[in-house]
Amino acid sequence: MKGQILLVSGPSGSGKSTLLKRLFSEEKGIYFSISSTTRAIRDGEINGVHYNFISKEEFEEGIKNDEFLEWAQVHKNYYGTSLKPVKEQLELGNIVVFDIDVQGFAIAREKFKSLITSVFITTTNKKELKKRLESRGTDNAKTIENRLMNAVGEMEHILEYDYFLINDDIQKSYKGLRSIVRAMRLKSTNINLRQTVENWIDC
């Protein structure tokens, strides 16, 4: 058996984190890839848990040395995923989950195309997304407007993803995401064909 990658994208405020948190608590053999970023740490965030917070200089050095699976610059900040822990988890046969934006998705898909299943998660509409962003109380009006503009651009890429979830009901959306993960484990491409056939014959 070999590991697989689940790429999850969608606007900030769409509920991705809530869905993934429940998934990790209920499903085994799943590893969450913690991104590195140059943005400032927010209240309540923990370095090494929510993100690996590093300097702009350190990030750019990593880019130069090809140490990231994917990286992107969003709102003047860098975000990216280190390659080493991802490869380790894939070798263990685990599902590695990335919560990345559309730019990062395009890069990752080129590098690990055969291992990837992707899902785009969003709200019912732009109005609902704005409501959720405002209710969080973590961003000012200008930042929220930038996130909404970015979300409109991201929506143009939904046909590039394998699955599309509208998170209008958290329970229904979670069941959809969990079904995707369980289906991934049943893929024939995840099977060692020779070993499977030999075991079937010998039993």
Side-chain angles (χ1 to χ4, degrees), residues 12-184:
S12 177
S14 61
K16 302 189 304 294
S17 297
T18 300
L19 292 171
L20 290 175
K21 182 177 180 181
R22 181 174 174 184
L23 183 70
F24 291 122
S25 70
E26 297 185 5
E27 295 288 325
K28 305 299 182 182
I30 300 180
Y31 168 81
F32 182 62
S33 178
I34 300 173
S35 297
S36 297
T37 182
T38 59
R39 76 159 170 77
I41 190 169
R42 295 171 180 163
D43 290 342
E45 289 183 328
I46 301 172
N47 187 31
V49 175
H50 298 94
Y51 283 99
N52 293 315
F53 294 94
I54 62 177
S55 68
K56 180 180 179 182
E57 292 73 21
E58 186 178 354
F59 200 107
E60 290 178 341
E61 183 68 19
I63 293 173
K64 185 169 67 176
N65 295 330
D66 199 27
E67 296 174 356
F68 291 103
L69 168 66
E70 54 79 26
W71 64 271
Q73 191 170 20
V74 182
H75 307 311
K76 298 182 180 182
N77 293 307
Y78 285 113
Y79 294 81
T81 306
S82 177
L83 277 167
K84 184 177 178 180
V86 170
K87 290 182 176 180
E88 291 174 349
Q89 292 299 319
L90 291 174
E91 289 173 1
L92 291 172
N94 292 328
I95 293 176
V96 180
V97 178
F98 297 146
D99 179 358
I100 60 177
D101 64 16
V102 170
Q103 295 177 53
F105 164 60
I107 297 169
R109 186 175 55 179
E110 287 299 314
K111 292 187 177 182
F112 287 103
K113 188 173 183 178
S114 63
L115 300 179
I116 287 174
T117 298
S118 58
V119 55
F120 191 98
I121 300 173
T122 189
T123 54
T124 307
N125 49 47
K126 182 181 175 183
K127 183 178 180 180
E128 174 61 22
L129 180 61
K130 182 179 181 180
K131 179 181 176 182
R132 293 187 188 183
L133 289 171
E134 290 175 339
S135 67
R136 294 196 310 191
T138 57
D139 299 314
N140 58 38
K142 184 177 180 180
T143 299
I144 289 175
E145 189 60 32
N146 286 337
R147 291 191 184 281
L148 291 173
M149 290 176 62
N150 190 55
V152 171
E154 288 181 324
M155 288 292 291
E156 296 290 336
H157 295 269
I158 60 176
L159 293 181
E160 299 171 19
Y161 288 75
D162 298 313
Y163 298 95
F164 178 59
L165 287 178
I166 295 179
N167 187 18
D168 56 351
D169 179 284
I170 195 69
Q171 181 66 16
K172 182 179 69 174
S173 297
Y174 174 70
K175 287 182 178 179
L177 182 61
R178 184 183 61 188
S179 295
I180 291 170
V181 169
R182 293 182 176 180
M184 288 173 67

